[in-house]
Amino acid sequence: MTIMFAAPLVQLAAAEVCSGVSAVSGELRVLTGRMWLTIEADARDYWLHAGDALQIPPGRLVVVEAHRLPCMFTVASGARHAKASYITSKILSTY
């Protein structure tokens, strides 16, 4: 199933995974929960908690998984949270 995140808030159930490519650079900010995140062409994996933020580069696949509990996060273009960046995501799996 393909989902367009038109709202600034993304919610994942525990262990739910989504992926997407942002057309513009943006900031992903975790509001609740804990997540694992990886970015295409970046050898690192990231563990983010509520309050953490990470810059997302444009044009790269980003994969996010909510770890053990539900997770909420925002993806905003640039450093602004008032206007969300549109990303296309595909639900990969739910445990």
Side-chain angles (χ1 to χ4, degrees), residues 11-62:
Q11 298 182 40
L12 297 177
E16 187 173 16
V17 177
C18 71
S19 66
V21 177
S22 181
V24 296
S25 122
E27 181 180 79
L28 183 146
R29 180 171 298 275
V30 182
L31 302 177
T32 63
R34 181 177 185 216
M35 71 167 55
W36 167 83
L37 181 144
T38 191
I39 301 171
E40 178 182 26
D42 183 341
R44 297 169 288 187
D45 287 342
Y46 299 91
W47 285 97
L48 303 175
H49 302 118
D52 291 344
L54 183 68
Q55 285 301 120
I56 302 299
R60 292 193 194 163
L61 179 66
V62 176

Side-chain angles (χ1 to χ4, degrees), residues 59-80:
R60 292 193 194 163
L61 179 66
V62 176
V63 179
V64 175
E65 179 181 6
H67 186 253
R68 295 191 183 176
L69 298 172
C71 180
M72 289 193 305
F73 63 95
T74 60
V75 178
S77 58
R80 296 173 52 186

